[in-house]
Amino acid sequence: MEERQPYGSVTAKTLRDLAELVGPRNVSGDPEKLAAYSHDEVPSASLPEATLAQALVFPESTEHVSLVMAYADRHRIPVTPRGAGTGLSGGAVPACGGILLSFEKMNRILELDRENLTVTVEPGVVTAEINRAAAKHRLLYAGDPCSGDASFIGGNVAENAGGNKVIKYGATGAQVLGLEAVLADGSVTWFGGKRRKDVTGYDFVHLLAGSEGTLAVITKIILRLLPLPKHTTDLLAPFGSVEEALGFVPRIVIEAGLLPASVELLDRRAVEVAMRYLNAKLPEPDAAAHLLIQLEGNDPEVLADEVEKVGDLCLAHGARQVYVADNRTARDKLWKARKAVPEAIVAFHSRYAKEDVVVPTGSVPTLMVALEEVDRAWGVEHIAYGHVGDGNMHVTLLPPEGPEGPEKLREARHDLYRRVAALGGTLSGEHGIGLKRRDDTPLFLDEAQLALIRRVKAAFDPKGILNPRKIVPGN
Amino acid sequence: MEERQPYGSVTAKTLRDLAELVGPRNVSGDPEKLAAYSHDEVPSASLPEATLAQALVFPESTEHVSLVMAYADRHRIPVTPRGAGTGLSGGAVPACGGILLSFEKMNRILELDRENLTVTVEPGVVTAEINRAAAKHRLLYAGDPCSGDASFIGGNVAENAGGNKVIKYGATGAQVLGLEAVLADGSVTWFGGKRRKDVTGYDFVHLLAGSEGTLAVITKIILRLLPLPKHTTDLLAPFGSVEEALGFVPRIVIEAGLLPASVELLDRRAVEVAMRYLNAKLPEPDAAAHLLIQLEGNDPEVLADEVEKVGDLCLAHGARQVYVADNRTARDKLWKARKAVPEAIVAFHSRYAKEDVVVPTGSVPTLMVALEEVDRAWGVEHIAYGHVGDGNMHVTLLPPEGPEGPEKLREARHDLYRRVAALGGTLSGEHGIGLKRRDDTPLFLDEAQLALIRRVKAAFDPKGILNPRKIVPGN
């Protein structure tokens, strides 16, 4: 790791300068606000390098972002862009103080273009608003993170958020056609555009997606829209064991030849914690695992046939029963349960490690065996749920009681990472690396790749002011 | 543009050294072979900077590629990777001599993994073989370039080839889950893997796709597979004017709510040249434009309903007639006509400029007006066809007779590019930039982006040995 120049300091003068650039109402140095904006949903104990932002800026326009970046460039002040703070990796938590750019005022849907099937938005739009705006025109915005009612689209793009519909539609990055971005020196440019195809130059649109604000600051986003499927049905299938449930998942494509929109798993503990939190009931709370399978289609009869086919297949592969939710109320109830799991865990547990490791879909059953071994080795417990259709398992590890809990939890987490690496898996499927997992990337990326990441980072951000110290050690 | 170090020269000793590294049968310095391998399908008059390769290497393994790159790195010899030579931008034509890596011996399908729905291939596999191998297992490899019967998958990935199914499935890059690559210094690494999601580090998989061999040499490719739709029907709709045909295209999604697999246009001249070449007939050869629309589905009755719906919509929007091809023979006949256009043009014309500009789908009709203006301004004629469903128009410009033809053609081409830029379009949707369009990129990419491209290139290839002088001026 090279020696670095020290960063410029943020003083009362900096706050005055920023207020002059973007207006006093858009700048704050209030300590309470700085603290409130300097975290995401990762418990701070997991982020030893977290710092507080020293200046908060609420840009109202691309021009504001450009002015702030040019200023930060001149004074070498770190800048951390932040969405709604729903992140799960400390990606928006400043590691070197400096300026925090919060996008809540850049929250407009600028255009929904029905001819070109695109929607152009500012980064501060809440994701679910985009889903709703598209649906009004019988169109689909296919990004669907579980945090969609709260998260900002800018954060979704910066983290390349996944969600419930990745098997069928791809992650957030796959929905992005164009990005307006402010570069480290304050210059404004467009990558991509309202185009379904583009091989002119390198694909920086998809390099920026998932780069966690380390390469440029995103100020406008063009998303693709698709025809909205007319009908949707969810199946809930309780299984006697997690292994049976997981073993069934690939059969949907292989035997039924169908591509579902979602395949989610909830293990017994996940169901239990969600039901307790919502004060609700599922019909078979003692089942070791539930699969929640969503099918979509334009023809109600065909969809009914497909539901029947998948249901029969479930039963043939060990499901105890299949419950079909073919109306909005029944479907909402199921998805409420699924989406409540992360919140419920936080409500009932003070210490936990929320992981979102990925393994090849066919290796998910092996991962579950590895998880049991991790539990035994470190005395932890786990809650397993998530997007098993795409091999992205959400595992929450819970530490044992007692003073050695935190240390056991840390050890268990690293043990899990090592086992995932051995399965050809990866560290994070959608939550990101940020600060939390930065030092674990060398388990998954070799020296050549770590060096490339640092060099590409330097190519975009020669002074190292954009969300420094994230993604890989030495960044 | 910085001053560059001169490249190392290729001598008889170089050939001997290479033969020692990869075996004498895999190295050639034969002048005829060097000439044969130093071009693609772009007429050499359009590539003023084209040079001949000085050494041909036919690697049999990743290790061979690694040895050659390490050698080239030590001696600073340029290396140009080449697929089947079906490229349309001079991407695989050496601009600085050196070593040409031809992948025809790395032509194995290594694994088709039905559990994980992936296929792992070497770069020299012919694309259509992958389509066929997947189809045998009732799976779909969705890449479908018109050159698929000849092109190599490695070239498809390097150019991020599009093809006929991009509206529904995305271009080649969207199918790629993982890449084994040899870096400029000879080190071997894997980007991505058998994983549907991955946010660990930057997305170098999709940065490499479309980078035309300027960042790394691809040696293995993991592609995603999808369930194979059980039924396919093509509609052929002749229209009285190109404008009517194009105006109809967005109605398929907006009014019918359907996402077709393909929407291809053939104007009158395209039909004419293809029919002459194939010695075949379409029912309405005098129609100003034909649309070829492909719909897919699992249920034959639903598909028939959708075909009916799209057919009615065609007729309501000015189609003279709708012909339905619902069996293999009829469908093959239509696609043979569509796919023959590029070959037919080459067979009957000695000079032409084949362009594949992209504009926002809704601006395709405006592009057609602009094309008429280009024709009049420079005395050229055009043949228009291609993937209008995704806004990617294949335009072939034909020069006027006489000695000023080539100059008029060049002027017309640049005039077209300027008009496309003004429409928010881009230079190439799938054929690539290569040598042919390199000096036109500044019309579409601003200074900041050009500088970023050069810096990212340098981050991957500090000595500038990987396919130098491609994509942007100064690369």
Side-chain angles (χ1 to χ4, degrees), chain B residues 176-205:
Chain B
V176 180
L177 299 176
L179 293 173
E180 183 193 70
V182 177
L183 304 180
D185 65 358
S187 54
V188 180
T189 191
W190 266 102
F191 299 109
K194 281 188 186 179
R195 300 185 288 265
R196 301 274 149 169
K197 278 158 120 176
D198 192 349
V199 295
T200 308
Y202 294 148
D203 182 356
F204 288 153
V205 171

PDB file of all heavy atoms in Angstrom, chain B residues 176-205:
ATOM      1  N   VAL B 176     -23.024 -13.455 -20.159  1.00  0.00           N
ATOM      2  CA  VAL B 176     -21.748 -13.908 -19.591  1.00  0.00           C
ATOM      3  C   VAL B 176     -21.762 -13.806 -18.066  1.00  0.00           C
ATOM      4  O   VAL B 176     -22.014 -12.735 -17.516  1.00  0.00           O
ATOM      5  CB  VAL B 176     -20.574 -13.074 -20.161  1.00  0.00           C
ATOM      6  CG1 VAL B 176     -19.248 -13.559 -19.574  1.00  0.00           C
ATOM      7  CG2 VAL B 176     -20.529 -13.167 -21.689  1.00  0.00           C
ATOM      8  N   LEU B 177     -21.477 -14.907 -17.407  1.00  0.00           N
ATOM      9  CA  LEU B 177     -21.402 -14.924 -15.942  1.00  0.00           C
ATOM     10  C   LEU B 177     -19.961 -14.898 -15.451  1.00  0.00           C
ATOM     11  O   LEU B 177     -19.680 -14.417 -14.362  1.00  0.00           O
ATOM     12  CB  LEU B 177     -22.084 -16.181 -15.389  1.00  0.00           C
ATOM     13  CG  LEU B 177     -23.565 -16.358 -15.698  1.00  0.00           C
ATOM     14  CD1 LEU B 177     -24.054 -17.697 -15.159  1.00  0.00           C
ATOM     15  CD2 LEU B 177     -24.385 -15.219 -15.116  1.00  0.00           C
ATOM     16  N   GLY B 178     -19.057 -15.441 -16.237  1.00  0.00           N
ATOM     17  CA  GLY B 178     -17.673 -15.506 -15.783  1.00  0.00           C
ATOM     18  C   GLY B 178     -16.705 -15.587 -16.953  1.00  0.00           C
ATOM     19  O   GLY B 178     -17.058 -16.072 -18.028  1.00  0.00           O
ATOM     20  N   LEU B 179     -15.503 -15.089 -16.732  1.00  0.00           N
ATOM     21  CA  LEU B 179     -14.466 -15.106 -17.766  1.00  0.00           C
ATOM     22  C   LEU B 179     -13.133 -15.477 -17.143  1.00  0.00           C
ATOM     23  O   LEU B 179     -12.712 -14.852 -16.156  1.00  0.00           O
ATOM     24  CB  LEU B 179     -14.313 -13.713 -18.400  1.00  0.00           C
ATOM     25  CG  LEU B 179     -15.475 -13.169 -19.236  1.00  0.00           C
ATOM     26  CD1 LEU B 179     -15.200 -11.715 -19.613  1.00  0.00           C
ATOM     27  CD2 LEU B 179     -15.705 -14.020 -20.479  1.00  0.00           C
ATOM     28  N   GLU B 180     -12.472 -16.478 -17.712  1.00  0.00           N
ATOM     29  CA  GLU B 180     -11.066 -16.672 -17.396  1.00  0.00           C
ATOM     30  C   GLU B 180     -10.301 -15.796 -18.376  1.00  0.00           C
ATOM     31  O   GLU B 180     -10.597 -15.806 -19.579  1.00  0.00           O
ATOM     32  CB  GLU B 180     -10.660 -18.134 -17.574  1.00  0.00           C
ATOM     33  CG  GLU B 180      -9.208 -18.382 -17.183  1.00  0.00           C
ATOM     34  CD  GLU B 180      -8.716 -19.758 -17.646  1.00  0.00           C
ATOM     35  OE1 GLU B 180      -8.555 -19.946 -18.882  1.00  0.00           O
ATOM     36  OE2 GLU B 180      -8.486 -20.619 -16.793  1.00  0.00           O
ATOM     37  N   ALA B 181      -9.349 -15.040 -17.854  1.00  0.00           N
ATOM     38  CA  ALA B 181      -8.634 -14.114 -18.728  1.00  0.00           C
ATOM     39  C   ALA B 181      -7.152 -14.145 -18.423  1.00  0.00           C
ATOM     40  O   ALA B 181      -6.737 -14.370 -17.292  1.00  0.00           O
ATOM     41  CB  ALA B 181      -9.167 -12.704 -18.540  1.00  0.00           C
ATOM     42  N   VAL B 182      -6.362 -13.947 -19.472  1.00  0.00           N
ATOM     43  CA  VAL B 182      -4.929 -13.767 -19.301  1.00  0.00           C
ATOM     44  C   VAL B 182      -4.673 -12.269 -19.380  1.00  0.00           C
ATOM     45  O   VAL B 182      -5.068 -11.612 -20.350  1.00  0.00           O
ATOM     46  CB  VAL B 182      -4.145 -14.526 -20.384  1.00  0.00           C
ATOM     47  CG1 VAL B 182      -2.650 -14.264 -20.238  1.00  0.00           C
ATOM     48  CG2 VAL B 182      -4.436 -16.025 -20.303  1.00  0.00           C
ATOM     49  N   LEU B 183      -4.048 -11.732 -18.344  1.00  0.00           N
ATOM     50  CA  LEU B 183      -3.778 -10.297 -18.299  1.00  0.00           C
ATOM     51  C   LEU B 183      -2.530  -9.972 -19.125  1.00  0.00           C
ATOM     52  O   LEU B 183      -1.814 -10.863 -19.572  1.00  0.00           O
ATOM     53  CB  LEU B 183      -3.627  -9.840 -16.851  1.00  0.00           C
ATOM     54  CG  LEU B 183      -4.830 -10.167 -15.950  1.00  0.00           C
ATOM     55  CD1 LEU B 183      -4.590  -9.672 -14.519  1.00  0.00           C
ATOM     56  CD2 LEU B 183      -6.125  -9.554 -16.507  1.00  0.00           C
ATOM     57  N   ALA B 184      -2.293  -8.689 -19.310  1.00  0.00           N
ATOM     58  CA  ALA B 184      -1.213  -8.247 -20.192  1.00  0.00           C
ATOM     59  C   ALA B 184       0.142  -8.835 -19.805  1.00  0.00           C
ATOM     60  O   ALA B 184       0.982  -9.096 -20.663  1.00  0.00           O
ATOM     61  CB  ALA B 184      -1.150  -6.718 -20.209  1.00  0.00           C
ATOM     62  N   ASP B 185       0.359  -9.088 -18.524  1.00  0.00           N
ATOM     63  CA  ASP B 185       1.667  -9.600 -18.097  1.00  0.00           C
ATOM     64  C   ASP B 185       1.716 -11.122 -18.088  1.00  0.00           C
ATOM     65  O   ASP B 185       2.693 -11.713 -17.628  1.00  0.00           O
ATOM     66  CB  ASP B 185       2.026  -9.054 -16.711  1.00  0.00           C
ATOM     67  CG  ASP B 185       1.068  -9.546 -15.636  1.00  0.00           C
ATOM     68  OD1 ASP B 185       0.101 -10.281 -15.967  1.00  0.00           O
ATOM     69  OD2 ASP B 185       1.271  -9.192 -14.463  1.00  0.00           O
ATOM     70  N   GLY B 186       0.654 -11.772 -18.547  1.00  0.00           N
ATOM     71  CA  GLY B 186       0.650 -13.226 -18.610  1.00  0.00           C
ATOM     72  C   GLY B 186      -0.034 -13.889 -17.427  1.00  0.00           C
ATOM     73  O   GLY B 186      -0.243 -15.106 -17.440  1.00  0.00           O
ATOM     74  N   SER B 187      -0.398 -13.132 -16.413  1.00  0.00           N
ATOM     75  CA  SER B 187      -1.060 -13.781 -15.270  1.00  0.00           C
ATOM     76  C   SER B 187      -2.480 -14.179 -15.651  1.00  0.00           C
ATOM     77  O   SER B 187      -3.131 -13.539 -16.476  1.00  0.00           O
ATOM     78  CB  SER B 187      -1.025 -12.894 -14.024  1.00  0.00           C
ATOM     79  OG  SER B 187      -1.551 -11.631 -14.305  1.00  0.00           O
ATOM     80  N   VAL B 188      -2.943 -15.266 -15.037  1.00  0.00           N
ATOM     81  CA  VAL B 188      -4.249 -15.833 -15.378  1.00  0.00           C
ATOM     82  C   VAL B 188      -5.186 -15.591 -14.209  1.00  0.00           C
ATOM     83  O   VAL B 188      -4.818 -15.829 -13.050  1.00  0.00           O
ATOM     84  CB  VAL B 188      -4.132 -17.356 -15.611  1.00  0.00           C
ATOM     85  CG1 VAL B 188      -5.484 -17.960 -15.977  1.00  0.00           C
ATOM     86  CG2 VAL B 188      -3.109 -17.641 -16.703  1.00  0.00           C
ATOM     87  N   THR B 189      -6.399 -15.137 -14.486  1.00  0.00           N
ATOM     88  CA  THR B 189      -7.338 -14.921 -13.398  1.00  0.00           C
ATOM     89  C   THR B 189      -8.763 -15.193 -13.872  1.00  0.00           C
ATOM     90  O   THR B 189      -9.001 -15.346 -15.063  1.00  0.00           O
ATOM     91  CB  THR B 189      -7.183 -13.489 -12.821  1.00  0.00           C
ATOM     92  OG1 THR B 189      -7.925 -13.402 -11.603  1.00  0.00           O
ATOM     93  CG2 THR B 189      -7.693 -12.430 -13.783  1.00  0.00           C
ATOM     94  N   TRP B 190      -9.681 -15.311 -12.915  1.00  0.00           N
ATOM     95  CA  TRP B 190     -11.097 -15.505 -13.224  1.00  0.00           C
ATOM     96  C   TRP B 190     -11.879 -14.291 -12.767  1.00  0.00           C
ATOM     97  O   TRP B 190     -11.804 -13.913 -11.599  1.00  0.00           O
ATOM     98  CB  TRP B 190     -11.646 -16.724 -12.470  1.00  0.00           C
ATOM     99  CG  TRP B 190     -11.621 -17.988 -13.255  1.00  0.00           C
ATOM    100  CD1 TRP B 190     -10.720 -19.000 -13.142  1.00  0.00           C
ATOM    101  CD2 TRP B 190     -12.569 -18.396 -14.268  1.00  0.00           C
ATOM    102  NE1 TRP B 190     -11.031 -20.010 -14.029  1.00  0.00           N
ATOM    103  CE2 TRP B 190     -12.162 -19.674 -14.730  1.00  0.00           C
ATOM    104  CE3 TRP B 190     -13.709 -17.808 -14.833  1.00  0.00           C
ATOM    105  CZ2 TRP B 190     -12.852 -20.372 -15.724  1.00  0.00           C
ATOM    106  CZ3 TRP B 190     -14.391 -18.510 -15.823  1.00  0.00           C
ATOM    107  CH2 TRP B 190     -13.968 -19.767 -16.256  1.00  0.00           C
ATOM    108  N   PHE B 191     -12.641 -13.716 -13.653  1.00  0.00           N
ATOM    109  CA  PHE B 191     -13.610 -12.685 -13.270  1.00  0.00           C
ATOM    110  C   PHE B 191     -14.983 -13.346 -13.246  1.00  0.00           C
ATOM    111  O   PHE B 191     -15.375 -14.005 -14.208  1.00  0.00           O
ATOM    112  CB  PHE B 191     -13.607 -11.534 -14.274  1.00  0.00           C
ATOM    113  CG  PHE B 191     -12.281 -10.825 -14.383  1.00  0.00           C
ATOM    114  CD1 PHE B 191     -11.490 -10.965 -15.512  1.00  0.00           C
ATOM    115  CD2 PHE B 191     -11.836 -10.021 -13.361  1.00  0.00           C
ATOM    116  CE1 PHE B 191     -10.268 -10.320 -15.621  1.00  0.00           C
ATOM    117  CE2 PHE B 191     -10.617  -9.353 -13.451  1.00  0.00           C
ATOM    118  CZ  PHE B 191      -9.831  -9.514 -14.588  1.00  0.00           C
ATOM    119  N   GLY B 192     -15.737 -13.158 -12.154  1.00  0.00           N
ATOM    120  CA  GLY B 192     -17.057 -13.783 -12.051  1.00  0.00           C
ATOM    121  C   GLY B 192     -16.934 -15.290 -11.966  1.00  0.00           C
ATOM    122  O   GLY B 192     -15.863 -15.828 -11.646  1.00  0.00           O
ATOM    123  N   GLY B 193     -18.009 -15.995 -12.229  1.00  0.00           N
ATOM    124  CA  GLY B 193     -18.020 -17.449 -12.122  1.00  0.00           C
ATOM    125  C   GLY B 193     -19.437 -17.955 -12.344  1.00  0.00           C
ATOM    126  O   GLY B 193     -20.264 -17.264 -12.930  1.00  0.00           O
ATOM    127  N   LYS B 194     -19.678 -19.178 -11.838  1.00  0.00           N
ATOM    128  CA  LYS B 194     -21.023 -19.765 -11.995  1.00  0.00           C
ATOM    129  C   LYS B 194     -21.963 -19.137 -10.982  1.00  0.00           C
ATOM    130  O   LYS B 194     -22.457 -19.806 -10.079  1.00  0.00           O
ATOM    131  CB  LYS B 194     -20.957 -21.264 -11.729  1.00  0.00           C
ATOM    132  CG  LYS B 194     -20.428 -22.074 -12.860  1.00  0.00           C
ATOM    133  CD  LYS B 194     -20.593 -23.546 -12.549  1.00  0.00           C
ATOM    134  CE  LYS B 194     -19.929 -24.396 -13.609  1.00  0.00           C
ATOM    135  NZ  LYS B 194     -20.053 -25.823 -13.305  1.00  0.00           N
ATOM    136  N   ARG B 195     -22.132 -17.849 -11.078  1.00  0.00           N
ATOM    137  CA  ARG B 195     -22.914 -17.143 -10.073  1.00  0.00           C
ATOM    138  C   ARG B 195     -23.827 -16.168 -10.774  1.00  0.00           C
ATOM    139  O   ARG B 195     -23.399 -15.445 -11.676  1.00  0.00           O
ATOM    140  CB  ARG B 195     -21.980 -16.363  -9.143  1.00  0.00           C
ATOM    141  CG  ARG B 195     -21.005 -17.247  -8.419  1.00  0.00           C
ATOM    142  CD  ARG B 195     -20.184 -16.471  -7.431  1.00  0.00           C
ATOM    143  NE  ARG B 195     -19.192 -15.603  -8.019  1.00  0.00           N
ATOM    144  CZ  ARG B 195     -17.918 -15.920  -8.215  1.00  0.00           C
ATOM    145  NH1 ARG B 195     -17.474 -17.106  -7.865  1.00  0.00           N
ATOM    146  NH2 ARG B 195     -17.082 -15.057  -8.744  1.00  0.00           N
ATOM    147  N   ARG B 196     -25.061 -16.133 -10.355  1.00  0.00           N
ATOM    148  CA  ARG B 196     -26.027 -15.245 -10.997  1.00  0.00           C
ATOM    149  C   ARG B 196     -25.876 -13.816 -10.491  1.00  0.00           C
ATOM    150  O   ARG B 196     -26.448 -12.896 -11.060  1.00  0.00           O
ATOM    151  CB  ARG B 196     -27.455 -15.731 -10.722  1.00  0.00           C
ATOM    152  CG  ARG B 196     -27.724 -17.135 -11.227  1.00  0.00           C
ATOM    153  CD  ARG B 196     -28.150 -17.125 -12.691  1.00  0.00           C
ATOM    154  NE  ARG B 196     -27.711 -18.338 -13.342  1.00  0.00           N
ATOM    155  CZ  ARG B 196     -28.100 -18.717 -14.553  1.00  0.00           C
ATOM    156  NH1 ARG B 196     -28.921 -17.961 -15.260  1.00  0.00           N
ATOM    157  NH2 ARG B 196     -27.642 -19.816 -15.088  1.00  0.00           N
ATOM    158  N   LYS B 197     -25.196 -13.650  -9.383  1.00  0.00           N
ATOM    159  CA  LYS B 197     -25.055 -12.339  -8.765  1.00  0.00           C
ATOM    160  C   LYS B 197     -23.686 -12.244  -8.152  1.00  0.00           C
ATOM    161  O   LYS B 197     -23.209 -13.214  -7.568  1.00  0.00           O
ATOM    162  CB  LYS B 197     -26.030 -12.204  -7.595  1.00  0.00           C
ATOM    163  CG  LYS B 197     -27.406 -11.846  -7.925  1.00  0.00           C
ATOM    164  CD  LYS B 197     -28.250 -12.301  -6.775  1.00  0.00           C
ATOM    165  CE  LYS B 197     -28.982 -11.168  -6.140  1.00  0.00           C
ATOM    166  NZ  LYS B 197     -29.870 -11.669  -5.076  1.00  0.00           N
ATOM    167  N   ASP B 198     -23.104 -11.069  -8.173  1.00  0.00           N
ATOM    168  CA  ASP B 198     -21.788 -10.908  -7.582  1.00  0.00           C
ATOM    169  C   ASP B 198     -21.492  -9.419  -7.472  1.00  0.00           C
ATOM    170  O   ASP B 198     -21.439  -8.729  -8.486  1.00  0.00           O
ATOM    171  CB  ASP B 198     -20.742 -11.591  -8.470  1.00  0.00           C
ATOM    172  CG  ASP B 198     -19.384 -11.716  -7.798  1.00  0.00           C
ATOM    173  OD1 ASP B 198     -19.187 -11.088  -6.739  1.00  0.00           O
ATOM    174  OD2 ASP B 198     -18.535 -12.441  -8.336  1.00  0.00           O
ATOM    175  N   VAL B 199     -21.348  -8.914  -6.261  1.00  0.00           N
ATOM    176  CA  VAL B 199     -20.944  -7.505  -6.116  1.00  0.00           C
ATOM    177  C   VAL B 199     -19.612  -7.409  -5.378  1.00  0.00           C
ATOM    178  O   VAL B 199     -19.310  -6.390  -4.767  1.00  0.00           O
ATOM    179  CB  VAL B 199     -22.031  -6.647  -5.414  1.00  0.00           C
ATOM    180  CG1 VAL B 199     -23.278  -6.571  -6.261  1.00  0.00           C
ATOM    181  CG2 VAL B 199     -22.354  -7.168  -4.019  1.00  0.00           C
ATOM    182  N   THR B 200     -18.805  -8.468  -5.464  1.00  0.00           N
ATOM    183  CA  THR B 200     -17.506  -8.475  -4.800  1.00  0.00           C
ATOM    184  C   THR B 200     -16.466  -7.873  -5.743  1.00  0.00           C
ATOM    185  O   THR B 200     -16.087  -8.508  -6.715  1.00  0.00           O
ATOM    186  CB  THR B 200     -17.132  -9.930  -4.411  1.00  0.00           C
ATOM    187  OG1 THR B 200     -18.231 -10.495  -3.688  1.00  0.00           O
ATOM    188  CG2 THR B 200     -15.887  -9.965  -3.552  1.00  0.00           C
ATOM    189  N   GLY B 201     -16.050  -6.641  -5.445  1.00  0.00           N
ATOM    190  CA  GLY B 201     -15.129  -5.957  -6.358  1.00  0.00           C
ATOM    191  C   GLY B 201     -15.896  -5.281  -7.483  1.00  0.00           C
ATOM    192  O   GLY B 201     -17.124  -5.216  -7.457  1.00  0.00           O
ATOM    193  N   TYR B 202     -15.185  -4.756  -8.463  1.00  0.00           N
ATOM    194  CA  TYR B 202     -15.839  -4.099  -9.599  1.00  0.00           C
ATOM    195  C   TYR B 202     -16.284  -5.141 -10.625  1.00  0.00           C
ATOM    196  O   TYR B 202     -15.724  -6.236 -10.686  1.00  0.00           O
ATOM    197  CB  TYR B 202     -14.880  -3.118 -10.273  1.00  0.00           C
ATOM    198  CG  TYR B 202     -14.480  -1.926  -9.429  1.00  0.00           C
ATOM    199  CD1 TYR B 202     -13.216  -1.355  -9.570  1.00  0.00           C
ATOM    200  CD2 TYR B 202     -15.347  -1.353  -8.507  1.00  0.00           C
ATOM    201  CE1 TYR B 202     -12.826  -0.254  -8.813  1.00  0.00           C
ATOM    202  CE2 TYR B 202     -14.968  -0.250  -7.745  1.00  0.00           C
ATOM    203  CZ  TYR B 202     -13.699   0.289  -7.901  1.00  0.00           C
ATOM    204  OH  TYR B 202     -13.327   1.370  -7.158  1.00  0.00           O
ATOM    205  N   ASP B 203     -17.250  -4.781 -11.435  1.00  0.00           N
ATOM    206  CA  ASP B 203     -17.778  -5.695 -12.454  1.00  0.00           C
ATOM    207  C   ASP B 203     -16.875  -5.696 -13.686  1.00  0.00           C
ATOM    208  O   ASP B 203     -17.151  -5.048 -14.692  1.00  0.00           O
ATOM    209  CB  ASP B 203     -19.203  -5.277 -12.836  1.00  0.00           C
ATOM    210  CG  ASP B 203     -19.822  -6.236 -13.855  1.00  0.00           C
ATOM    211  OD1 ASP B 203     -19.113  -7.154 -14.307  1.00  0.00           O
ATOM    212  OD2 ASP B 203     -21.000  -6.058 -14.193  1.00  0.00           O
ATOM    213  N   PHE B 204     -15.778  -6.442 -13.588  1.00  0.00           N
ATOM    214  CA  PHE B 204     -14.848  -6.509 -14.718  1.00  0.00           C
ATOM    215  C   PHE B 204     -15.339  -7.479 -15.799  1.00  0.00           C
ATOM    216  O   PHE B 204     -14.869  -7.407 -16.930  1.00  0.00           O
ATOM    217  CB  PHE B 204     -13.452  -6.904 -14.237  1.00  0.00           C
ATOM    218  CG  PHE B 204     -12.738  -5.809 -13.476  1.00  0.00           C
ATOM    219  CD1 PHE B 204     -11.775  -6.113 -12.518  1.00  0.00           C
ATOM    220  CD2 PHE B 204     -13.004  -4.470 -13.727  1.00  0.00           C
ATOM    221  CE1 PHE B 204     -11.097  -5.111 -11.838  1.00  0.00           C
ATOM    222  CE2 PHE B 204     -12.334  -3.452 -13.045  1.00  0.00           C
ATOM    223  CZ  PHE B 204     -11.382  -3.776 -12.093  1.00  0.00           C
ATOM    224  N   VAL B 205     -16.258  -8.383 -15.457  1.00  0.00           N
ATOM    225  CA  VAL B 205     -16.814  -9.279 -16.484  1.00  0.00           C
ATOM    226  C   VAL B 205     -17.417  -8.436 -17.611  1.00  0.00           C
ATOM    227  O   VAL B 205     -17.120  -8.638 -18.796  1.00  0.00           O
ATOM    228  CB  VAL B 205     -17.894 -10.211 -15.890  1.00  0.00           C
ATOM    229  CG1 VAL B 205     -18.612 -10.978 -16.994  1.00  0.00           C
ATOM    230  CG2 VAL B 205     -17.272 -11.176 -14.889  1.00  0.00           C
TER     231      VAL B 205
END
